[in-house]
Amino acid sequence: DTGVSQNPRHKITKRGQNVTFRCDPISEHNRLYWYRQTLGQGPEFLTYFQNEAQLEKSRLLSDRFSAERPKGSFSTLEIQRTEQGDSAMYLCASSSYRGNMETQYFGPGTRLLVL
Amino acid sequence: GDSVTQMEGPVTLSEEAFLTINCTYTATGYPSLFWYVQYPGEGLQLLLKATKADDKGSNKGFEATYRKETTSFHLEKGSVQVSDSAVYFCALTKINNDMRFGAGTRLTVKP
């Protein structure tokens, strides 16, 4: 068990550019979550997958954001036409959902700065 | 909707002091409750959890008891260390729901 990993750890981009982040969950975890965390705040839910199916999306996830989880393993989060307001830490978490109990384990995050 | 409210920080304590960080929640049904800790530049680490009323979660000297009557899950530690300096997040989740976090409480422990 190597934990949840995220790449890159840091990304600086210019406004209007597209960026893509990757999350590798704990192996055999069937759920994968994306959160956004701005300075001084707790994480806010963006979306989650159970296996390869995207089951829920927050209203925070504008149409510039898209997430995928092909084959139910790693996931990517893409932001198109980035805006300065997208600057935040993007956190990924995974869990093994079995019945009525799950615990989410978080990765180290990708810190995005949009100039 | 479901939500979590944490005491505002920052909290500054001397080493070996007693720590309490208050957390209350609003939720329908029966949420599971969590405390996560975030060290500078890192992601969130699960500190402890409780899944039903009167459960006590504990880890690394930290404890929190799920109190349904007061809808609370206060974090406590009897003797803090400098290495406990971090941001602490209270959170809840329910079956098939996303996790809701409080705003976080920054703890600084001075030697």
Side-chain angles (χ1 to χ4, degrees), chain B residues 25-102:
Chain B
Y25 68 91
T26 301
T28 57
Y30 304 96
S32 295
L33 302 175
F34 302 81
W35 277 100
Y36 284 85
V37 59
Q38 187 173 36
Y39 298 100
E42 299 184 12
L44 277 69
Q45 298 177 23
L46 177 66
L47 183 58
L48 53 83
K49 63 185 179 185
T51 58
K52 61 183 187 295
D54 300 324
D55 268 3
K56 177 185 282 187
S58 60
N59 185 29
K60 300 180 181 179
F62 291 89
E63 293 183 340
T65 301
Y66 189 144
R67 301 285 188 200
K68 195 166 179 62
E69 63 275 15
T70 54
T71 62
S72 65
F73 193 55
H74 305 321
L75 182 68
E76 296 182 336
K77 186 174 185 182
S79 176
V80 294
Q81 305 301 311
V82 173
S83 58
D84 294 326
S85 298
V87 181
Y88 292 81
F89 292 95
C90 186
L92 70 81
T93 190
K94 295 189 298 190
I95 297 172
N96 291 326
N97 281 3
D98 55 279
M99 186 165 277
R100 305 292 173 91
F101 287 86

Side-chain angles (χ1 to χ4, degrees), chain A residues 35-107:
Chain A
Y35 292 84
R36 182 174 69 186
Q37 184 181 19
T38 53
L39 203 61
Q41 298 298 315
E44 296 173 295
F45 168 77
L46 293 178
T47 187
Y48 88 93
F49 295 81
Q50 180 154 316
N51 300 312
E52 65 276 8
Q54 188 172 15
L55 296 188
E56 188 176 342
K57 293 193 287 187
S58 161
R59 59 178 173 78
L60 293 175
L61 209 68
S62 76
D63 54 10
R64 296 185 298 105
F65 288 69
S66 62
E68 296 181 344
R69 193 184 183 196
K71 303 178 183 177
S73 56
F74 72 91
S75 176
T76 58
L77 177 68
E78 181 183 16
I79 309 174
Q80 295 182 326
R81 304 180 304 281
T82 52
E83 302 173 356
Q84 288 182 326
D86 297 331
S87 296
M89 173 82 89
Y90 290 84
L91 295 168
C92 175
S94 70
S95 70
S96 180
Y97 176 69
R98 302 192 190 287
N100 64 350
M101 178 57 196
E102 66 172 314
T103 298
Q104 295 182 28
Y105 295 89
F106 283 78

